[in-house]
């Protein structure tokens, strides 16, 4: 423990530690004896990446919450961090046995339907046999008899996919916020969209930088307000904070809805207010005529493709990704009026439906396309930048 002087107060802080000769504070805590099998060291030591005492105090408390949650999870023998493969396999197992999430969840007694329960029980027999076979293969006859008659929890004996399937059936599946973000990309089928993936990753990192990683329903409105304050304090633009929070809201809502995690559908990341939203936005300055002329004359001898791309975008108004993602067949140079046919392809999506268009080629844009087409042997006009 460490004693800190914060203003007129002297605080005794557990687990806060500054190594000799270091400026940054660290979190240090001994791992309980019964949990050391889950850790590579008998103690947890993590840099809090700050030399400020007040900031270190906050980060220590936040990180300690996460450690406490891990300790609880290990003691309750809950499954550790999920992978997308685990979840996909769990869903496949349920479909294979004609089961759906929450089929075993406790329902309203007033809505009890004996026929429906009998159907679910019949459909569950195959999955139950599958689970029992796995457990039997891991236990001796005496151990299995004890497990069966004492109604022990089957989760510790099962692979992750079977654990997930069982938790989904009982309506007890819980994902942390970071796992919601990861699975959100999978559900949206946008894994090949680098910009989208980076946006989700940035939002996740923003959340975890200031708050512990826990299930969405466990966050409070106060923590959302704290997240906004910390973002502004760290120098982020208010529109950036809004974008991060909107991404988190979409991820939590989509994943909790698709996996029928009803509690997490009530997360607090909605209807948030960001003080002085967009008042700190700075408009981009327009290029002057002289600057545009200088760009037109610019030639990169080492990488001429860069000059060609700049000239193409200047004269056509195409976006960077639209220009980089052109196929050679999209450029018509032999007609009376050369043009580019812009449409969605395997490399990139278009921002809106109206982004699909025909663009005439003139001036340096026409010269750029002719030069690129003359040297490429690929299906892409700019293969090095696809």
């Amino acid at each position: 423990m460490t004693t800190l002087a914060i203003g007129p107060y002297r605080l005794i802080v557990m687990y806060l530690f500054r190594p000799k000769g270091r400026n940054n504070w660290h979190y240090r805590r001994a791992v309980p004896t019964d949990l050391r099998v889950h850790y590579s060291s008998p103690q947890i030591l993590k840099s809090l990446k700050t030399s400020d005492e007040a900031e270190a105090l906050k980060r220590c408390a936040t990180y300690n919450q996460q450690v406490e949650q891990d300790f609880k999870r290990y003691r309750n023998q809950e499954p550790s961090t999920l992978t997308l493969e685990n979840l996909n396999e769990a869903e496949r197992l349920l479909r294979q046995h004609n089961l759906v999430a929450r089929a075993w969840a406790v329902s309203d007694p007033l809505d009890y339907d004996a026929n429906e329960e009998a159907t679910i029980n019949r459909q569950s027999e195959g999955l139950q046999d599958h689970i029992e076979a796995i457990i039997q293969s891991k236990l001796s006859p005496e151990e299995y008899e004890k497990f069966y008659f004492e109604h022990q929890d089957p989760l510790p004996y099962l692979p992750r996919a079977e654990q997930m399937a069982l938790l989904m059936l009982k309506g007890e599946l819980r994902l942390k916020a970071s796992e919601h973000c990861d699975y959100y990309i999978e559900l949206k089928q946008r894994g090949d969209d680098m910009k989208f993936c980076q946006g989700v990753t940035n939002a996740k990192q923003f959340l975890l930088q200031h708050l512990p990683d826990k299930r969405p329903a466990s966050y409070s409105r106060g923590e959302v307000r704290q997240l906004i304050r910390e973002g502004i304090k760290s120098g982020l633009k208010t529109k950036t904070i809004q974008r991060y929070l909107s991404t988190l809201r979409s991820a939590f809502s989509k994943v909790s809805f698709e996996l029928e995690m009803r509690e997490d559908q009530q997360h607090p990341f909605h209807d948030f207010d960001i003080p002085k939203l967009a008042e700190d936005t700075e408009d981009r300055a327009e290029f002057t005529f002289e600057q545009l002329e200088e760009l037109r004359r610019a030639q990169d001898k080492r990488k001429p493709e860069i000059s060609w791309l700049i000239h193409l975008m200047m004269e056509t108004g195409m976006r960077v990704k639209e220009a980089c993602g052109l196929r050679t067949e999209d450029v018509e140079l032999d007609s009376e009026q050369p043009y580019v046919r812009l449409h969605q392809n395997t490399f990139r999506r278009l921002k809106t439906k109206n982004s699909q268009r025909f663009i005439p080629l003139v001036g340096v844009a026409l010269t750029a396309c002719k030069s690129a087409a003359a040297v490429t042997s690929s299906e892409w006009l700019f293969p090095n930048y696809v």
Side-chain angles (χ1 to χ4, degrees):
M1 66 180 66
T2 299
T3 302
L4 293 182
I6 306 292
Y9 303 102
R10 294 183 66 81
L11 303 177
I12 298 176
V13 185
M14 298 287 289
Y15 315 127
L16 193 60
F17 166 69
R18 176 180 276 168
K20 188 175 180 179
R22 302 283 186 89
N23 290 325
N24 284 346
W25 288 95
H26 285 60
Y27 175 89
R28 183 175 69 176
R29 181 172 182 178
V31 178
T33 305
D34 61 318
L35 299 178
R36 289 185 180 176
V37 66
H38 300 287
Y39 292 85
S40 59
S41 171
Q43 72 170 356
I44 300 170
L45 183 64
K46 176 181 173 63
S47 172
L48 298 176
K49 299 182 179 179
T50 182
S51 58
D52 181 78
E53 293 181 347
E55 183 64 24
L57 190 63
K58 288 196 302 183
R59 294 185 185 185
C60 180
T62 298
Y63 188 69
N64 189 59
Q65 282 184 322
Q66 185 175 331
V67 171
E68 290 282 1
Q69 289 174 356
D70 289 339
F71 286 174
K72 180 181 177 182
R73 174 166 53 79
Y74 289 136
R75 286 200 170 101
N76 293 340
Q77 297 182 318
E78 297 173 6
S80 59
T81 302
L82 311 178
T83 66
L84 301 184
E85 290 76 15
N86 297 152
L87 287 169
N88 291 337
E89 179 62 16
E91 291 180 318
R92 188 194 65 77
L93 277 171
L94 294 184
R95 290 195 300 271
Q96 180 181 331
H97 297 284
N98 297 316
L99 292 168
V100 295
R102 301 185 67 88
W104 289 358
V106 177
S107 59
D108 185 346
L110 298 177
D111 293 335
Y112 176 76
D113 187 325
N115 291 330
E116 181 181 359
E117 183 181 29
T119 300
I120 292 173
N121 288 337
R122 284 196 304 272
Q123 293 171 338
S124 302
E125 288 177 358
L127 182 60
Q128 289 175 322
D129 291 343
H130 172 70
I131 288 173
E132 287 185 10
I134 292 174
I135 297 173
Q136 277 186 304
S137 68
K138 294 187 174 183
L139 300 178
S140 66
E142 295 77 14
E143 289 172 331
Y144 180 74
E145 184 176 345
K146 181 180 179 181
F147 162 84
Y148 186 84
F149 287 106
E150 292 184 3
H151 304 288
Q152 294 180 10
D153 184 3
L155 286 180
Y157 304 99
L158 297 176
R160 292 285 160 72
E162 280 73 8
Q163 287 178 340
M164 295 305 101
L166 204 54
L167 289 171
M168 291 170 72
L169 270 175
K170 296 163 69 176
E172 296 175 0
L173 180 63
R174 305 288 183 268
L175 300 185
K176 290 183 178 180
S178 60
E179 294 165 334
H180 275 255
C181 292
D182 295 338
Y183 200 52
Y184 177 59
I185 296 173
E186 177 85 1
L187 285 175
K188 297 288 285 185
Q189 298 182 12
R190 301 277 293 276
D192 57 346
D193 187 334
M194 293 179 63
K195 184 177 180 181
F196 177 81
C197 294
Q198 190 60 53
V200 176
T201 300
N202 290 344
K204 178 176 70 173
Q205 291 174 346
F206 169 64
L207 173 70
L208 300 184
Q209 182 180 353
H210 303 292
L211 294 176
D213 190 9
K214 53 187 179 180
R215 55 181 301 204
S218 297
Y219 291 108
S220 66
R221 291 292 294 183
E223 286 178 307
V224 176
R225 292 194 297 273
Q226 176 190 343
L227 192 57
I228 294 171
R229 289 194 300 270
E230 293 293 340
I232 294 173
K233 183 179 176 182
S234 67
L236 289 176
K237 298 291 187 183
T238 52
K239 292 293 287 185
T240 299
I241 296 171
Q242 181 189 46
R243 184 171 67 252
Y244 288 162
L245 292 178
S246 297
T247 299
L248 292 171
R249 177 189 61 206
S250 299
F252 297 160
S253 297
K254 176 70 173 176
V255 174
S256 60
F257 177 76
E258 293 294 339
L259 298 182
E260 299 195 42
M261 297 182 289
R262 296 177 184 173
E263 296 84 355
D264 287 317
Q265 292 176 31
Q266 308 304 316
H267 64 81
F269 287 79
H270 52 81
D271 299 327
F272 44 80
D273 293 311
I274 301 176
K276 300 181 179 179
L277 179 63
E279 291 184 14
D280 54 356
T281 301
E282 298 178 2
D283 292 332
R284 295 178 182 176
E286 298 288 342
F287 284 106
T288 65
F289 179 78
E290 290 74 17
Q291 288 171 331
L292 291 173
E293 283 300 305
E294 186 176 350
L295 284 172
R296 287 189 179 95
R297 292 192 300 269
Q299 295 292 334
D300 190 325
K301 295 181 181 179
R302 189 167 55 89
K303 291 187 177 180
E305 297 95 334
I306 294 177
S307 298
W308 299 338
L309 280 166
I310 291 174
H311 293 163
L312 179 60
M313 290 185 287
M314 283 178 59
E315 299 296 341
T316 63
M318 294 171 65
R319 301 179 179 93
V320 174
K321 208 169 186 180
E322 291 174 340
C324 291
L326 284 174
R327 293 180 182 273
T328 52
E329 63 185 28
D330 296 334
V331 181
E332 180 55 62
L333 298 174
D334 296 329
S335 66
E336 183 177 348
Q337 171 56 65
Y339 65 90
V340 169
R341 181 173 61 256
L342 200 59
H343 59 93
Q344 183 168 317
N345 60 36
T346 56
F347 168 70
R348 50 106 170 96
R349 305 165 70 220
L350 295 180
K351 193 168 185 179
T352 66
K353 284 185 178 180
N354 291 334
S355 296
Q356 182 168 305
R357 58 201 188 275
F358 292 88
I359 304 174
L361 292 172
V362 295
V364 293
L366 177 58
T367 303
C369 284
K370 286 182 177 178
S371 301
V375 300
T376 185
S377 58
S378 165
E379 62 176 311
W380 304 100
L381 193 61
F382 300 101
N384 291 337
Y385 299 96
V386 170

